[in-house]
Amino acid sequence: MSQPPLIGLNADIRKLPRWGVGATALLTYVHAVEQGGGVPLVIPALTERAALRAALARLDGLLLTGGLDIHPRLYGQRLHPATRLADPHRLAGDQALLEEALATDIPILGICMGCQWLNVALGGDLIQDIPSQVGAEVVHAPRETFHPVRIEAGSRLAAIVGQEELEVNSSHHQAIGRLGQGLCAVAWAPDGVIEAAEGEGSRFLLAVQWHPERIVDRPAQLALFQALVAAARERSG
């Protein structure tokens, strides 16, 4: 029997009282990968490119986790008053990880900040604050809420979840603006905010703005992690 695919998760960086700074991953992500059939491995904020390439050579898939905000200088904008920057060590590690990962064919699933990172890494930009730049028709944050999304018929996402409308959870104040190169929007909130994007080619590149790891008791949400693991298994042979 073949070994289950090894799925890397980028770590968040958090200050721990008395103990210093830690590289951590929420167990919701870890458990979602496990339930999807993969073996999760947390990657700290590495910036040494040789170390990153060595790590990626051992991984079969990559899950980009959520977090605070990406610095807008990375996509040519000034800092919005509502933007809350992630730890600079995390930002540097995430940027280096994505640059190296995108140079390979490793399957990637991005969630929330991970969705935004994938878009920025491919040359896109972000809406820095939905309430002030889009409006309040749909409440996306700060507390977790639920709303429907419309999914593009015939998309990879529609095939994975098996439907063209899906209820999702929402706790984000930023979202994809201009799409990155090679990405296409495949899901939208009722206010027009892009809720998911995927790669235009055959490679598994999928980014969702909501948090499926929190609601894996719903089969359509668990299916996202199962699809990542299936793509990783196919790649590893």
Side-chain angles (χ1 to χ4, degrees):
M1 176 181 283
S2 62
Q3 295 294 318
L6 191 60
I7 308 297
L9 288 74
N10 59 322
D12 199 3
I13 302 298
R14 301 188 180 192
K15 293 182 179 179
L16 305 174
R18 297 178 57 196
W19 305 114
V21 180
T24 66
L26 294 174
L27 287 179
T28 47
Y29 294 109
V30 172
H31 292 160
V33 170
E34 289 180 313
Q35 290 180 61
V39 175
L41 179 67
V42 179
I43 304 170
L46 301 175
T47 54
E48 175 59 47
R49 296 306 178 109
L52 277 171
R53 287 192 287 271
L56 287 165
R58 290 164 171 80
L59 295 175
D60 302 307
L62 184 62
L63 173 63
L64 301 175
T65 61
L68 295 179
D69 299 332
I70 301 166
H71 203 298
R73 68 167 174 260
L74 296 176
Y75 50 90
Q77 293 183 15
R78 293 186 177 182
L79 193 68
H80 188 283
T83 295
R84 297 173 57 217
L85 297 177
D87 183 277
H89 294 95
R90 173 170 185 179
L91 291 175
D94 283 359
Q95 183 178 11
L97 174 62
L98 256 174
E99 287 174 357
E100 294 296 334
L102 287 170
T104 73
D105 64 349
I106 191 168
I108 299 175
L109 171 63
I111 293 175
C112 198
M113 182 194 188
C115 168
Q116 296 161 10
W117 255 128
L118 187 59
N119 190 59
V120 169
L122 290 170
D125 67 10
L126 302 178
I127 298 167
Q128 288 192 57
D129 186 57
I130 294 170
S132 62
Q133 294 179 274
V134 176
E137 176 187 347
V138 176
V139 177
H140 292 272
R143 291 183 294 275
E144 186 172 62
T145 61
F146 285 81
H147 63 74
V149 297
R150 175 178 60 84
I151 300 174
E152 182 73 23
S155 64
R156 181 192 296 271
L157 178 60
I160 290 170
V161 302
Q163 52 202 85
E164 294 173 15
E165 185 170 302
L166 187 67
E167 184 181 55
V168 303
N169 54 343
S170 181
S171 58
H172 61 98
H173 78 110
Q174 297 196 338
I176 290 174
R178 183 185 71 253
L179 282 161
Q181 185 176 4
L183 289 178
C184 55
V186 293
W188 301 264
D191 58 2
V193 166
I194 295 173
E195 288 280 344
E198 61 188 43
E200 294 174 343
S202 60
R203 177 182 179 177
F204 188 98
L205 288 179
L206 180 60
V208 299
Q209 189 57 68
W210 64 91
H211 282 274
E213 81 285 358
R214 297 178 187 165
I215 48 175
V216 288
D217 57 320
R218 303 185 180 197
Q221 305 295 342
L222 177 59
L224 294 168
F225 300 97
Q226 293 171 326
L228 172 64
V229 170
R233 184 178 287 111
E234 182 178 351
R235 175 179 182 262
S236 65

